[in-house]
Amino acid sequence: MESQTFRALVAEESAPGQFTRHLRSRRTDELPEGALLVRVQFSSLNYKDALSAMGRPGVTKRYPHTPGIDAAGEVVSCADGAFNPGDQVIVTGYDLGMNTPGGFGQFIRVPSSWGVKLPKGLTAKQSMILGTAGLTAGLSLHRLLASGMTPRRGEMVVTGATGGVGSIAVELLSRAGFEVVAVTGKQSETGFLRHLGAKEVVGRTEILEGAQRPLMTERWGGAVDVVGGEILSAVIRSTRYGGVVTCCGLAGSAELPLNVYPFILRGITLAGIDSAQCPAKLREEVWQKLAGPWKPHEILESASSCTLESLEEKFPAILDGKLRGRTVVQLPG
Ligand code: NDP
């Protein structure tokens, strides 16, 4: 294919340590090598995208750079035949949007192994309302079920509940029959969380009551944590005997102040969740579930949408924990 010019949001280090973002013209022949060329129709906003766009350490090493860890669109060409031109694909994770130009541009070129065929039951837009957050929430539910967690074990707690991963986890767990308790810093969003299926909504400080003790009163059957830090520590220490706690994020802190008592006295399992390098088979299985039996209808209805231009105001907001639910990004054209 002849090189095409396209629009992309480009984050640049305009002065040492100072990052700015602009809409720029890019050419497809500037994209890295890779078998799969995709015309991106939708992307989404994730916490990691804001870290990359704002130049926060730990995500993107080289600027100028186009963030966007999620992309869905149409295959333009696929050199190794894994996809046909015109196929609808989802690309999330791996290095997309980290150091590989990502979904905030109209084209991406990536290894074909990064692509998942859009499952029947989801439109490209719906797949990006879910995006990496949906895959991560789905992987968390998958892990809980695979570890033997059933609704009979009692209440499941979800932290960071109004955020992307948290809000989807609330709906997925509730649809799977669990009694969900949502932990949030935004009590004003109680109605939203109840609408997603939360049985009870508790504040971040409430969850820390009694947290000075090494083991807290047993309450939760299990948990989905996106926050880390003191809150994850308290959740682990108040999970009932044999419970499973998934851990995928650090929205609060990357630290985990904890001792071994919950593991050696209560048999708690701490299960790490990674969506970026998740093996293709599991990735496809979870996408199929998200498109079918697990489809989170309320999340799909409640998402906001924005354009490349309006992303600018969203980056600091997501880093400050001020956004609610998911934001899908509509690419031009
Ligand atoms: P969001 O920003 O959408 O949600 C995070 C939520 O966490 C916020 O909405 C807020 O919810 C809560 N929160 C924010 N700051 C704090 C704080 N200081 N203390 C306690 N709670 C806080 O992010 P995502 O849902 O997209 O991602 C959540 C985390 O998961 C991030 O760390 C992200 O990097 C990680 N992640 C990991 C993945 C993996 O594969 N392992 C994949 C996707 C995300 P509330 O106000 O309701 O409490």
Side-chain angles (χ1 to χ4, degrees), residues 45-49 51 69 132-137 139 158-167 182-187 189 193 202-204 225-228 231 247-253 272-278 317-326:
L45 176 63
N46 295 279
Y47 191 84
K48 222 185 215 178
D49 298 321
L51 294 175
I69 63 171
T132 285
L135 177 61
T136 306
L139 286 167
V158 176
T159 64
T162 67
V165 178
S167 61
V183 180
T184 184
K186 305 183 196 84
Q187 291 284 355
E189 296 295 354
L193 292 167
V202 300
R204 286 181 205 164
D225 179 76
V226 311
V227 164
I231 289 181
C247 159
C248 73
L250 40 60
S253 168
I273 303 295
D274 168 58
S275 63
Q277 301 292 329
C278 164
I318 195 169
L319 291 184
D320 288 345
K322 291 197 177 124
L323 294 189
R324 181 187 99 169
R326 292 284 292 156

Side-chain angles (χ1 to χ4, degrees), residues 162 186-198 201 324:
T162 67
K186 305 183 196 84
Q187 291 284 355
S188 57
E189 296 295 354
T190 297
F192 168 66
L193 292 167
R194 284 194 176 276
H195 193 65
L196 296 180
V201 177
R324 181 187 99 169

Side-chain angles (χ1 to χ4, degrees), residues 2 17 38 47 52 75 78 118 127 133 150 152 155 158 174 200 215 231 245 254-255 273 288 332:
E2 264 183 41
V38 178
Y47 191 84
S52 169
V75 173
C78 184
L118 182 72
S127 77
T150 67
R152 282 166 54 190
E155 296 168 318
V158 176
S174 158
E200 192 183 335
L215 280 175
I231 289 181
V245 176
E255 302 302 320
I273 303 295
Q288 288 295 338

